[in-house]
Amino acid sequence: MNRVFNALDVARRDLAAQRNDNVLRVTRSTFRRRRRAPTTGASNESAGVWRVRLFLLALADQSVLPAPSESSRLSREGLGIPAHDQQAFVSERSYVKLSMTLLEFNSYVESLNSAQWVNAGTPEVFYRRSRLEQPNRNSFNDFLIDDSDEEKEGEDEAFGALESYVFPVEEVDLAVLLSDFRKEFVSDGLVSNICIRRKKLIESAIKAISRVTFCWNNSPYIEFVGEDGDDMGGPQREFFRLLMIEVQTSMGIFEGKAGQAFFTYDQAALDGHKYFQAGRLIAWSVAHGGPCIKALDPSLYQLMCGQEPQLEQFDCSVLPDPDVQSRAKRILQCKTAEDLSALQQDLGDWISECGVPGIFSATIGDIPKIYAYVVKHYIFLRTAKMVNQFTEGMNGFGNLWDLVRNNWIAFLPCFTDMRTPLTKSSFKAIFKYEYSPRGTNHREKEEDTIYSWELVLNLIEDKLSELTFEDLLIFITGADEVPTLGFPHKPSIDFYTQEAGMRRLPYASTCAMTLFLPRGITEEQELHDILKQSLKDSCGFLKV
C-alpha cells in the first residue's frame, strides 16, 4: 500500500503541474504502467496483480474514502453514477467529459453535491509483485516508469498497452462477495431468538447453534439476559463484536500476539471439536454482517488459503514458543561452515523432525530454505488437523471457507489485523447531525454543544483523554468499526434539553445508532466528563 500512496503522491504533483492539457491525456500519462527495476537473480515465478480503484472525491481535502459498501455500489453501477441522478434519468453531469481541460474539470467538481461520492472514471492502477510482501519492505524507488509503449492519444481503452501480460482473474470486492453470499443464504424476514448470558457468552452461543432447531440462515434476534432492550440491530452488533473477542481469547484454540495468532496444538481441544465450533461461530458472525477475528498471522492465513508466502523472511520473534523462537534464530544466524556444523550437531535431529531430513547434507546456501521449512512446519503443518477442523466448521455455513480460499486477497482484512485506529476526520464522517431549524433557540444551544463536542474530539485525537474514537463508536452503534457492508443507515447525533434541577447524562440508542447530547454545553471539559461517565456506567441495554 505504501507504493500505491507514493505513486499517488507523485501523480498528484504531476497533475498539479499541468494546467491546460486534456484530462484524459494527463491522467493516462501520470498513471501509465510502472514496472520493477531489474535485479540480479530475479525470480521468474508468476506474479500476482493488485488492482487499486481510484475514486474522485467531491471534496478536494476529503481524508476519508468511501465505505466498502459505497465503493462496491459504485462498481456495480458502472463505476459510479452519482446519487443525485435517478436510475431512470441519468443526466450528462453524471460523467466527466474526457475532452475537458483541468480548469473545466475543477469547475465540474465544484458543481457537485459535496455530500455525495462520485467516481470520475479514473483508471485502475495495476502493479505486480511475486507474492504478498511485508509492508515497507521495499521503497518506491525500485519501480521505474515504463515509457516503451505509451498509449496513443484518442484511444478509449485505458489498458490497451498491457495486452502482452496475462492477468489473473479479477479480484472481486469484499463487499460484493459478502453481499452476494447473504443474498444466497440469509433468509429475509426470518429470525431465530438467541438468548445470551453476558458472563457466559461463548457457552451461550455454542448452546444456541447446537440446538436441533437452530437455522443459521435466519437472522439472529439477540436477547441479553437481564436486559430489556429489543434487538433492532444494536444487540446483534454488540453480540458479534464480543463473540469474536471471546473466540480469540477464551476458547484456547489460538496463541500468540495480537494480530499474529496461530492455532494451538491441543489434542483435547481437537477431540472436543473446539476448532470446529470456532469456525462455525466465525462463519455465523460474518454471514450476518458481523466482524471476523482479524487476528491470524498473515503467513499462516496465506498457507491456509493454499498460497506460498516467502517464509525465508518470516519474523520468528512472533512465534509464541520461546524455545522454538531461539532455535529458529539459531538457524538464521548460521553463516559459516563452522556454524552449520554446530547447527547439525545441536539441532540436527529437531530440524529433521520438522520435516527437513536433508539438514545433515545441507550447505550454507540451503539455510534460508531450511528456515522456511521449519517455520512452515511449526505454524501450519504441525497443526494441520486443527486448521482442517476449523475450516470444516466455517464450511458448515454455506461453504464460507471455500469462498474465502478462492478470494483470499479480498478477505485479508477479515482474518488478519489490517485495521488502523479511527482518526477524528474518519470518525466524524460516520455521523450526521440532527439540528433544529436555523434561527431557533434550540439551534443556538445545539451549536454550543457541537463546538464543545469538537473540542472533546480534539482531546481524544491528541491523546489527552482516556476515551478513544472506538469507545464512542461502540457506545453509539455496538460496533468498534464500520462493517464491511456498512451500517444500515447513517448514524446520527441528536440533542435533548436538560430539565431544570436535573443532570441527565448523554445516552445512545445502538439500534437507531444515535448519540443524544444535552443542548447548551459550552465547556468541553464538562461534556468530556459526562461522556466519560456515560461510557463507564454503561453496563448493558436499558441499564445505563
Side-chain angles (χ1 to χ4, degrees):
M1 291 306 299
N2 285 340
R3 290 202 201 126
V4 176
F5 293 142
N6 287 331
L8 291 176
D9 187 55
V10 171
R12 190 180 296 111
R13 292 197 298 269
D14 289 347
L15 283 170
Q18 305 291 335
R19 292 299 175 192
N20 297 313
D21 210 349
N22 178 282
V23 171
L24 176 61
R25 187 185 304 111
V26 172
T27 304
R28 284 179 172 173
S29 174
T30 302
F31 289 104
R32 60 185 177 270
R33 180 162 52 88
R34 302 177 184 274
R35 59 179 173 81
R36 185 184 295 277
T39 57
T40 57
S43 170
N44 290 326
E45 51 196 9
S46 61
V49 175
W50 285 67
R51 172 168 293 176
V52 182
R53 291 184 174 86
L54 302 178
F55 290 94
L56 165 68
L57 307 185
L59 295 177
D61 60 350
Q62 183 71 40
S63 60
V64 182
L65 290 173
S69 59
E70 294 174 343
S71 175
S72 64
R73 177 175 56 81
L74 291 173
S75 300
R76 289 197 304 271
E77 296 181 4
L79 288 179
I81 297 174
H84 54 63
D85 282 331
Q86 299 291 330
Q87 184 173 1
F89 303 97
V90 179
S91 66
E92 284 191 11
R93 71 192 188 105
S94 297
Y95 306 97
V96 176
K97 295 181 180 179
L98 298 180
S99 60
M100 284 182 179
T101 66
L102 290 178
L103 291 178
E104 293 171 334
F105 178 70
N106 286 334
S107 298
Y108 164 80
V109 174
E110 292 171 359
S111 70
L112 297 174
N113 183 345
S114 61
Q116 305 298 331
W117 298 104
V118 181
N119 184 289
T122 48
E124 290 182 333
V125 179
F126 291 82
Y127 68 94
R128 15 166 67 70
R129 51 187 174 180
S130 58
R131 293 187 180 96
L132 187 63
E133 300 168 348
Q134 296 296 326
N136 301 320
R137 201 179 70 184
N138 294 305
S139 69
F140 179 67
N141 294 330
D142 67 352
F143 279 78
L144 301 176
I145 302 297
D146 184 4
D147 292 322
S148 60
D149 49 3
E150 287 289 336
E151 299 177 29
K152 296 180 181 179
E153 182 179 345
E155 286 185 350
D156 288 336
E157 291 77 11
F159 294 99
L162 303 182
E163 67 271 13
S164 59
Y165 292 89
V166 178
F167 293 109
V169 177
E170 179 180 351
E171 190 68 32
V172 182
D173 185 81
L174 175 60
V176 174
L177 290 168
L178 292 179
S179 179
D180 290 345
F181 181 85
R182 285 175 55 83
K183 288 177 182 177
E184 181 176 358
F185 292 105
V186 176
S187 304
D188 291 332
L190 299 179
V191 299
S192 294
N193 291 322
I194 308 295
C195 183
I196 298 296
R197 174 80 164 133
R198 280 187 184 267
K199 292 184 179 180
K200 298 181 178 180
L201 194 135
I202 281 287
E203 294 90 332
S204 302
I206 291 177
K207 286 182 179 179
I209 66 175
S210 300
R211 292 182 60 190
V212 176
T213 57
F214 173 76
C215 179
W216 72 269
N217 309 79
N218 295 350
S219 180
Y221 184 94
I222 305 300
E223 299 177 4
F224 286 102
V225 174
E227 303 172 29
D228 297 327
D230 294 329
D231 186 4
M232 304 302 290
Q236 184 185 114
R237 285 189 292 272
E238 169 91 350
F239 166 67
F240 281 131
R241 178 182 64 83
L242 296 175
L243 181 63
M244 291 302 97
I245 294 174
E246 291 293 309
V247 168
Q248 295 175 50
T249 60
S250 301
M251 294 191 69
I253 65 168
F254 294 113
E255 61 181 349
K257 301 177 182 178
Q260 293 168 324
F262 303 91
F263 286 93
T264 57
Y265 186 74
D266 187 337
Q267 294 193 46
L270 187 70
D271 289 341
H273 295 90
K274 283 191 175 183
Y275 301 93
F276 182 81
Q277 296 289 17
R280 296 185 75 201
L281 292 173
I282 292 170
W284 188 30
S285 175
V286 172
H288 292 282
C292 196
I293 53 173
K294 302 180 186 292
L296 295 182
D297 178 85
S299 296
L300 170 62
Y301 171 70
Q302 291 178 66
L303 288 167
M304 291 172 63
C305 294
Q307 305 302 309
E308 291 294 335
Q310 292 179 327
L311 295 178
E312 293 86 351
Q313 300 176 18
F314 182 85
D315 180 8
C316 62
S317 67
V318 305
L319 296 175
D321 188 327
D323 185 50
V324 176
Q325 270 191 42
S326 176
R327 294 181 179 189
K329 288 179 181 177
R330 178 81 181 275
I331 298 173
L332 280 177
Q333 293 167 353
C334 184
K335 304 295 182 184
T336 66
E338 291 76 12
D339 293 338
L340 177 58
S341 179
L343 182 71
Q344 291 169 333
Q345 182 175 353
D346 298 340
L347 298 179
D349 291 340
W350 178 78
I351 294 174
S352 180
E353 290 173 359
C354 290
V356 194
I359 177 62
F360 296 105
S361 59
T363 64
I364 288 296
D366 298 324
I367 290 299
K369 204 65 179 175
I370 290 172
Y371 174 77
Y373 285 146
V374 168
V375 169
K376 184 176 183 179
H377 165 80
Y378 182 78
I379 70 173
F380 180 61
L381 298 178
R382 181 178 64 99
T383 57
K385 287 187 176 181
M386 292 73 182
V387 171
N388 288 339
Q389 192 180 93
F390 173 82
T391 57
E392 286 174 4
M394 289 200 66
N395 269 339
F397 288 2
N399 291 319
L400 183 56
W401 179 255
D402 290 344
L403 180 68
V404 172
R405 183 183 173 94
N406 293 333
N407 299 274
W408 70 275
I409 293 179
F411 278 92
L412 261 172
C414 293
F415 288 88
T416 65
D417 190 2
M418 300 177 66
R419 293 173 293 183
T420 56
L422 284 170
T423 63
K424 178 184 176 182
S425 57
S426 60
F427 178 78
K428 286 179 58 180
I430 297 172
F431 297 92
K432 63 180 179 178
Y433 298 98
E434 300 291 351
Y435 285 115
S436 298
R438 291 187 180 276
T440 62
N441 291 333
H442 276 351
R443 178 59 176 259
E444 189 71 21
K445 292 180 179 181
E446 289 165 0
E447 291 180 357
D448 285 339
T449 294
I450 290 302
Y451 178 68
S452 297
W453 168 255
E454 288 283 341
L455 297 180
V456 169
L457 297 184
N458 287 344
L459 291 176
I460 296 174
E461 185 172 48
D462 296 339
K463 306 265 191 298
L464 299 176
S465 169
E466 297 176 9
L467 299 177
T468 66
F469 295 118
E470 286 77 11
D471 292 335
L472 291 175
L473 190 61
I474 290 170
F475 181 66
I476 301 168
T477 68
D480 60 356
E481 63 179 351
V482 178
T484 300
L485 295 177
F487 290 117
H489 58 267
K490 199 171 182 67
S492 61
I493 295 176
D494 212 327
F495 307 90
Y496 62 91
T497 300
Q498 290 279 26
E499 298 178 12
M502 297 185 65
R503 180 175 180 265
R504 187 179 184 186
L505 296 175
Y507 62 98
S509 166
T510 57
C511 293
M513 297 186 296
T514 301
L515 172 65
F516 293 88
L517 298 175
R519 295 184 177 95
I521 301 294
T522 58
E523 296 294 331
E524 70 269 22
Q525 195 60 48
E526 178 186 0
L527 182 59
H528 175 271
D529 291 344
I530 59 177
L531 274 170
K532 182 179 176 181
Q533 185 177 351
S534 290
L535 269 66
K536 179 181 178 182
D537 293 345
S538 175
C539 54
F541 294 98
L542 297 186
K543 294 178 66 176
V544 178

